[in-house]
Structures are given as C-alpha cells and as structure tokens.
Amino acid sequence: MDTFSLIAAERRSLADALDGLGESDWAQPSLCGAWTTHQVAAHLNAPFEVAARSFVVAIVKARGSFDRANERVAVDLAQRMDPAACVAGLRTHADSHFTPPGFGPEAPLTDTIVHGGDILQPVGQSVDVAPEALEISLRFIASPKARRGFGAVSSDGLQLVPNDLDLVVGDGARLEGPARSLIAALAGRAPFLDDLTGPGVELLRTRC
C-alpha cells in the first residue's frame, strides 16, 4: 500500500471515530494549542476548503506568521463547517493527494495521526492506526526536515523504540512505548509522554 492509500485509510478511520463524539465533546479543549476539538477537525479540512490564495492573504494579515495564519484559518473554517461537515469532509476528500509545499505525503499522514490524537485523547477515545502508517510517520517526525517545517520536537540523542513495531529509530537515551504515543510526543503533545518509558522520557519532556 502506498502512502497516499494509507492517508486515505487513516482519514476514513478517523472519520468513523469522530462519528461517535457527542455534542459536548466537540467543544472540549484539544491537545493542539488553544483549539477546540471542532477547530482541529476543521483544520484537517483546510487543504480542501481553503484556497492557496486565501491562505496567503491570511499570512499577510498575520504579518508573515504562518502559525498565526494557520490558527485563524482553522477558527474561521470551524465557524463555517459544523462538526458533521468536518467529518463528512474527511471522507469526501480521503483520497486527496494534497501535500504542503516542500513536503511529501508523509506530512499529511502524520498530520492526520497527530491531530486524531489531539481530538480523541481529551475525550478518552483513540483510533487504531495501521502499522505501516505508524512506521512512515515515526521515521518522518524524527527527521530533521520535520523539525524545520513541521514543528516537530528534536529527537537528537534519543533512541526511539516502538513496542508495537519491529523498528528502532535513532541512537541515544532509550525511549520506548506505543508508536502512536512516540509520534504524538515528538509532535510536542506532552500528555503522551505518560505512555513512554526509559531514560529518554525526561530528556524529551524538557523539549515538549
């Protein structure tokens, strides 16, 4: 299965999980900054709903800050798309081959995995992720490229050992646990550090 096929499968799987959320769940704070779970779901639809030109305008309004523009776009999009529309959008555009400038399909795959956790972990739920998707995402988020343009936390000096994959990434202080939790922690989501063990935990905690 190629990476775009994995992205499509993960979008559909996440949509199925989001179908089970109640009205109050959508207003919960997510693990992604100040966004609610609804706003994170809207963000996942931004590549399909927001024209590139509109995003450039948002960056100009944010005085050149990509992060502030990204935040504003997600908040505005959530006002236009209710939760049901956000879920439907993931299904409708599951097969999209969109990739951010300068990145390959590993980026949207990781975005789907990380933001799925951002939405579901605070409401006590999770979604199963295919092992092939986890391996691609973990290798990507531990890469220098992901640190430069994806906002990943540095994995320098860490040996990443997912206990659900036949894989070891990097060298240094051992950090072991579920691959999905390793990915989320390297994306700066500190709550997932509680799933990890080894001398690398405290090192990564200082970086999150």
Side-chain angles (χ1 to χ4, degrees):
M1 185 179 292
D2 66 20
T3 304
F4 283 115
S5 296
L6 290 170
I7 295 169
E10 295 307 321
R11 284 175 177 149
R12 293 187 178 103
S13 180
L14 178 57
D16 289 345
L18 298 182
D19 273 336
L21 297 187
E23 183 176 350
S24 63
D25 294 330
W26 286 104
Q28 291 295 316
S30 75
L31 297 184
C32 188
W35 285 346
T36 64
T37 56
H38 179 193
Q39 288 163 347
V40 176
H43 163 74
L44 286 171
N45 280 275
F48 326 125
E49 299 291 340
V50 180
R53 184 174 181 178
S54 297
F55 197 84
V56 170
V57 171
I59 292 174
V60 171
K61 289 181 178 180
R63 299 183 180 181
S65 171
F66 176 87
D67 289 339
R68 287 201 301 271
N70 201 29
E71 290 169 6
R72 187 70 258 166
V73 165
V75 171
D76 290 346
L77 190 56
Q79 293 176 345
R80 293 196 286 112
M81 298 180 69
D82 64 15
C86 291
V87 175
L90 288 175
R91 290 197 176 99
T92 299
H93 301 286
D95 292 305
S96 168
H97 282 202
F98 166 84
T99 58
F103 288 93
E106 298 82 5
L109 175 63
T110 302
D111 210 43
T112 304
I113 293 170
V114 170
H115 287 313
D118 288 337
I119 296 170
L120 295 172
Q121 197 268 2
V123 297
Q125 298 188 37
S126 63
V127 62
D128 291 333
V129 178
E132 299 89 345
L134 290 170
E135 179 171 347
I136 291 170
S137 181
L138 183 57
R139 289 186 186 277
F140 167 72
I141 206 162
S143 69
K145 187 173 186 178
R147 293 171 224 163
R148 290 193 298 269
F150 196 77
V153 175
S154 173
S155 62
D156 288 348
L158 293 171
Q159 183 185 60
L160 309 174
V161 185
N163 57 21
D164 47 359
L165 298 177
D166 184 15
L167 177 69
V168 175
V169 178
D171 294 298
R174 187 179 179 91
L175 188 62
E176 183 173 354
R180 188 172 64 91
S181 296
L182 288 167
I183 293 164
L186 286 171
R189 277 48 172 185
F192 284 92
L193 287 167
D194 294 339
D195 298 336
L196 308 178
T197 60
V201 172
E202 291 311 312
L203 176 58
L204 185 55
R205 192 181 300 278
T206 65
R207 297 174 182 175
C208 287

